[in-house]
Amino acid sequence: MLRKMISAAALAIVLAAGTQAHAAGGDAKVRVVFDQKLPNVPGKSMKAVLVEYGPGGSSPGHTHPASAFIYATVLEGAITSKVNDGPEKVYKAGESFPEFPGDHHAVSKNASKTKPARLLAVFVLNTDETELTTDDK
């Protein structure tokens, strides 16, 4: 019964969040698709963000809240990513990468000029965080 209630709540969150899509500072369509307080970790939540890039699309360099650990996985296409001083790397559908608290995501873009790409980023962060991304100035 509890599992059904949680599933129903998650579905309601996904449907509500889907209407809050917005364009990030670049050409990305970004929307929260899951937002749930962690019942066994007081003060922490899990949020999932779907990032959709059109052909050649990108997001500006950015950071996330200092409390955020992020696990990102490419759902479709290929994403070029650069975190901190690391090299640019292309991740293909099915591949994943982490971002640790305090990391700077310098490059995030569709690796293709002709095909779309989608990325799911799952955050574990402080529940009181309201801004998930801060674009570089």
Side-chain angles (χ1 to χ4, degrees), residues 10 22 30 45 52 55 80 86 90 119 129-130 135-136:
H22 69 281
V30 180
S45 289
E52 298 176 283
T80 301
V90 175
L119 170 80
E129 296 287 0
T130 57
D135 291 346
D136 292 351

Side-chain angles (χ1 to χ4, degrees), residues 37-118:
K37 289 181 180 177
L38 297 177
N40 59 336
V41 187
K44 295 289 185 179
S45 289
M46 180 182 288
K47 297 182 183 197
V49 175
L50 180 64
V51 181
E52 298 176 283
Y53 293 108
S58 66
S59 297
H62 58 272
T63 57
H64 300 288
S67 69
F69 170 78
I70 302 160
Y71 174 80
T73 188
V74 178
L75 302 175
E76 174 185 4
I79 303 286
T80 301
S81 181
K82 174 182 170 72
V83 177
N84 297 324
D85 294 328
E88 283 192 18
K89 183 172 178 189
V90 175
Y91 295 90
K92 297 177 182 168
E95 295 182 321
S96 303
F97 60 92
E99 286 185 56
F100 295 94
D103 280 353
H104 177 249
H105 200 167
V107 175
S108 184
K109 65 183 180 181
N110 187 339
S112 172
K113 301 282 187 209
T114 60
K115 297 178 183 174
R118 292 186 309 142

